[in-house]
Amino acid sequence: MKIGICAGIENLELCISSGADFVEINNTAVSRMSESEFESALELVSKYPGSVYSCNCLIPSDIRLTGDN
């Protein structure tokens, strides 16, 4: 069994060094990153292969999925 933590990408190293097998990151936060922030995140993730393979918050709260409003 693998143990994961829901955390921001900025906490990846802390989570992995604390014993987590992977980190589940926030997809909305990733989608709102600038190009340079995204490149930095990719660089960080590449140091820990397999450390990020799932996301939460796939659809931002400002996008309506149901109803008229």
Side-chain angles (χ1 to χ4, degrees):
M1 177 185 340
K2 292 191 177 214
I3 304 296
I5 299 174
C6 294
I9 195 72
E10 68 277 1
N11 294 314
L12 176 66
E13 289 178 304
L14 175 63
C15 293
I16 298 301
S17 67
S18 296
D21 295 308
F22 69 95
V23 174
E24 182 175 298
I25 61 173
N26 183 299
N27 189 63
T28 300
V30 172
S31 71
R32 293 182 174 160
M33 288 179 176
S34 68
E35 189 70 28
S36 63
E37 289 171 325
F38 185 75
E39 291 295 327
S40 295
L42 282 178
E43 187 177 320
L44 178 61
V45 170
S46 70
K47 293 179 184 177
Y48 303 94
S51 61
V52 176
Y53 62 87
S54 62
C55 294
N56 56 43
C57 302
L58 299 177
I59 300 173
S61 61
D62 58 332
I63 296 178
R64 296 291 303 166
L65 297 178
T66 60
D68 296 331
N69 296 324

